[in-house]
Amino acid sequence: EAGVTQFPSHSVIEKGQTVTLRCDPISGHDNLYWYRRVMGKEIKFLLHFVKESKQDESGMPNNRFLAERTGGTYSTLKVQPAELEDSGVYFCASSTSRANYGYTFGSGTRLTVV
Amino acid sequence: EDQVTQSPEALRLQEGESSSLNCSYTVSGLRGLFWYRQDPGKGPEFLFTLYSAGEEKEKERLKATLTKKESFLHITAPKPEDSATYLCAVQAVIQGAQKLVFGQGTRLTINP
């Protein structure tokens, strides 16, 4: 079975520009999550989709971040306009309704804002 | 506030030298404690889920245990390929929403 796919793997943009990250979850996984790790800190929750609905977006830093999940399949995370503090590694994870075997993570997108 | 603390931050061992990593946690509505392994440039890779105090899980040279306040990841006779960052996370379920709260990880290096 294919894993969770994220792209791009790396992105370098200038402050004020827009960047869109994409995540393709494992087929059939209704739950999709976005997490972020900034330099020197722990991985932190951003938001959780169940199918196409946002279940919890309490971790989103501010309204410069917009996440969507079209038709309950892939998800995008847009940052507009990007700021220096948005730099970090953005991870996507997916799971079935029973996550007792663990969430499957993608390899992440390393975002650098200069 | 939900919190996970891992210790030590980094650990160097010789091949074959057994040790343990610690994960202490405070969380309301615990729905599981997870251990992950992360290699450089990769995402976290699932190892174990533990749900109740006294529970133990094993996989090759790794064994995870859980108490009401902490979890240990025991590594027996490690090999260089066990070198990685080991992450602990608790799953909190609040008003139907579920999320993982991670610790900062323990960076483990096994020298041949």
Side-chain angles (χ1 to χ4, degrees), chain A residues 1-6 23-35 43 69 90-108, chain B residues 34-37 42-49 91 98 100 102:
Chain A
E1 132 184 295
V4 176
T5 304
Q6 292 186 247
C23 169
D24 286 76
I26 292 174
S27 178
H29 281 196
D30 288 341
N31 293 284
L32 186 148
Y33 311 83
W34 284 98
Y35 286 82
I43 297 172
R69 188 178 184 193
Y90 290 76
F91 292 105
C92 175
S94 70
S95 72
T96 65
S97 57
R98 297 180 68 233
N100 55 336
Y101 63 86
Y103 303 58
T104 303
F105 281 81
S107 292
Chain B
F34 294 75
W35 281 98
Y36 285 88
R37 168 190 171 128
K42 300 284 184 66
E45 176 189 345
F46 172 74
L47 293 173
F48 305 109
T49 309
Q91 179 170 245
Q98 57 189 27
L100 293 178
F102 281 89

Side-chain angles (χ1 to χ4, degrees), chain A residues 2-114:
Chain A
V4 176
T5 304
Q6 292 186 247
F7 51 93
S9 57
H10 294 83
S11 180
V12 181
I13 62 172
E14 292 184 352
K15 176 182 173 180
Q17 289 186 322
T18 297
V19 62
T20 300
L21 314 181
R22 174 167 168 149
C23 169
D24 286 76
I26 292 174
S27 178
H29 281 196
D30 288 341
N31 293 284
L32 186 148
Y33 311 83
W34 284 98
Y35 286 82
R36 177 175 75 169
R37 185 169 199 163
V38 297
M39 182 78 74
K41 299 286 189 181
E42 68 274 20
I43 297 172
K44 285 196 171 179
F45 170 83
L46 295 178
L47 88 159
H48 170 206
F49 283 101
V50 177
K51 296 185 180 179
E52 68 276 6
S53 299
K54 291 176 186 174
Q55 184 74 16
D56 179 4
E57 51 185 333
S58 62
M60 296 286 263
N62 50 60
N63 59 10
R64 295 185 294 103
F65 289 75
L66 176 63
E68 295 179 325
R69 188 178 184 193
T70 306
T73 56
Y74 71 91
S75 175
T76 57
L77 180 64
K78 183 193 293 187
V79 185
Q80 179 182 29
E83 298 289 344
L84 299 179
E85 64 264 27
D86 300 332
S87 296
V89 182
Y90 290 76
F91 292 105
C92 175
S94 70
S95 72
T96 65
S97 57
R98 297 180 68 233
N100 55 336
Y101 63 86
Y103 303 58
T104 303
F105 281 81
S107 292
T109 294
R110 180 175 295 279
L111 174 65
T112 303
V113 183
V114 297

